[in-house]
């Protein structure tokens, strides 16, 4: 199990013409990834999802809070002693092409991490060959076809499957899939999402699914936990199915209301929520961060940042002073009366 506790990360300003001030990418985030769990993070671009995923994989530092892996606090360890813990979390990011060395065949790409793993397990060369074929089979690839080929000879979907197979060579506990299908041909996306969903049962790995697209989170995260992030804070958390059917936080409601409706087949949910304006990152309000855009804002929303808590008989946690479950997702068009 991996627990993220009150994690914070601030980036120094990038300067430039606007003399941009520092960015608080994470403002005290708590996330629990249970064994064999399905956890999804959703939120619009720039809300801190990638930063959180990269911290979990050891590619980014955190400046406050902690990451606890199977009871071990990473904050208590020196950076070099954290390496074995980060091996347990593998990143699948959006561009499978840049993740694979174009000058090496798939066989060569998989050989190095497998040789390392074989040394750790005191296994021989025969084990490596068998494991390579097994992993490719797990991700739905034919070893005879892909092993001699270079990345550019494969489709985007096949390349992403190779990236997943390579991540599995180290027997990780968690796969962090960060917008993992956004650069893949639409026709091949479903297969990759299905694979990510199936791997939980097949190899017992947990999947942290990071996306701005609610529809994909709904598919992969079915039966799991959903975290909705706004400007570096978790503003709603609960079972994926409950949040999508009955969101209680106005920001979640606005995200779900924005899902395109299938014309002629669906119509917008009856309680659709539209923000009152665009996000202005330069303004950090003193109270609720969503207040400048919230159609339900009241005076008390400007006083202090609402804590994530359970209120008024809803099943999920939300950081809103005036939560109300609303039906915002599209509903089927009513047919002609009989
Ligand atoms: N290395 C960096 N240097 C400066 N700012 C960064 C850096 N990485 C991310 N940020 C900023 O942190 C915020 C969160 O970014 P990110 O985690 O990539 O969000 P998301 O993945 O949700 O789109 C953004 O405002 C982004 O510009
Ligand atoms: S706390 Fe107030 S401003 Fe914030 S989301 Fe809830 S109603 Fe809107
Ligand atoms: Mg991102």
């Amino acid at each position: 199990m991996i627990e993220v506790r009150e994690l914070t990360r601030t980036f120094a300003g990038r300067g430039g013409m606007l003399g941009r001030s520092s960015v608080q990418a994470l403002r005290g985030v708590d996330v629990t990834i249970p064994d064999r769990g399905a956890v999804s993070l959703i939120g619009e671009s720039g809300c801190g999802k990638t930063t959180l995923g990269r911290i979990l994989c050891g590619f980014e530092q955190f400046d406050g809070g902690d990451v606890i892996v199977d009871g071990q606090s990473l904050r208590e360890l020196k950076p070099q002693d954290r390496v074995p813990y980060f091996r347990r979390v593998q990143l699948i990011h959006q561009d499978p092409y840049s993740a694979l060395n174009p000058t090496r065949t798939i066989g060569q790409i998989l050989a190095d991490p497998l040789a390392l793993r074989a040394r750790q397990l005191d296994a021989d060369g025969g084990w490596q060959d068998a494991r390579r074929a097994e992993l490719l089979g797990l991700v739905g690839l034919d070893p005879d076809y892909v092993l001699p080929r270079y990345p550019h000879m494969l489709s985007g979907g096949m390349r992403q499957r190779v990236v997943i197979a390579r991540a599995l060579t180290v027997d990780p506990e968690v796969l962090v899939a960060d917008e993992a299908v956004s650069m893949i041909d639409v026709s091949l996306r479903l297969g990759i999402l299905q694979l990510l969903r199936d791997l939980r049962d097949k190899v017992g790995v947990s999947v942290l699914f990071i996306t701005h697209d609610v529809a994909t989170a709904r598919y992969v995260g079915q039966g799991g936990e959903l975290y909705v992030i706004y400007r570096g804070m978790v503003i709603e958390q609960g079972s994926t199915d409950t949040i999508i059917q009955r969101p209680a936080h106005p920001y979640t409601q606005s995200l779900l209301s924005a899902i395109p409706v299938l014309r002629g087949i669906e119509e917008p949910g009856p309680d659709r929520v539209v923000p009152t304006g665009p996000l202005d990152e330069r303004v950090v309000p003193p109270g609720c961060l969503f207040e400048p855009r919230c159609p339900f804002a009241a005076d008390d929303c400007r006083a202090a940042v609402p804590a994530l808590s359970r209120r008024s008989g809803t099943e999920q946690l939300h950081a809103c002073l005036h939560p109300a479950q609303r039906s915002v997702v599209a509903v089927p068009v009513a047919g002609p009366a009989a």
Side-chain angles (χ1 to χ4, degrees), residues 122-142:
D122 208 13
D124 58 17
W127 176 86
Q128 290 178 49
D129 291 343
R131 182 69 177 145
R132 193 164 59 180
E134 184 188 7
L135 288 175
L136 288 172
L138 261 176
V139 300
L141 293 173
D142 173 3

Side-chain angles (χ1 to χ4, degrees), residues 38-188:
V39 176
S40 306
L41 301 184
I42 59 166
E44 62 201 317
S45 176
C47 73
K49 306 179 299 294
T50 293
T51 303
L52 177 59
R54 286 174 55 81
I55 289 174
L56 288 177
C57 300
F59 297 140
E60 189 67 72
Q61 303 292 319
F62 54 97
D63 38 44
D66 204 351
V67 178
I68 299 159
V69 183
D70 294 335
Q72 171 65 58
S73 151
L74 297 192
R75 175 157 284 279
E76 288 170 0
L77 296 178
K78 294 196 194 93
Q80 64 270 28
D81 295 334
R82 295 176 184 170
V83 175
Y85 292 94
F86 292 134
R87 183 187 63 73
R88 301 192 194 179
V89 187
Q90 291 291 310
L91 181 66
I92 314 292
H93 69 83
Q94 59 182 6
D95 182 3
Y97 195 65
S98 71
L100 299 172
N101 184 338
T103 67
R104 308 193 77 207
T105 63
I106 306 307
Q108 292 164 337
I109 286 170
L110 293 176
D112 290 348
L114 276 173
L116 190 68
R117 192 70 184 132
R119 280 200 292 282
Q120 288 165 346
L121 298 173
D122 208 13
D124 58 17
W127 176 86
Q128 290 178 49
D129 291 343
R131 182 69 177 145
R132 193 164 59 180
E134 184 188 7
L135 288 175
L136 288 172
L138 261 176
V139 300
L141 293 173
D142 173 3
D144 292 337
Y145 181 80
V146 295
L147 284 174
R149 287 186 157 71
Y150 289 90
H152 75 267
M153 300 163 92
L154 306 179
S155 71
M158 286 173 129
R159 286 198 285 261
Q160 195 61 300
R161 287 172 193 268
V162 171
V163 170
I164 295 170
R166 186 180 58 182
L168 293 175
T169 56
V170 297
D171 297 318
E173 259 174 58
V174 180
L175 291 182
V176 174
D178 187 359
E179 309 281 7
V181 294
S182 63
M183 290 180 72
I184 292 173
D185 203 81
V186 175
S187 61
L188 302 172

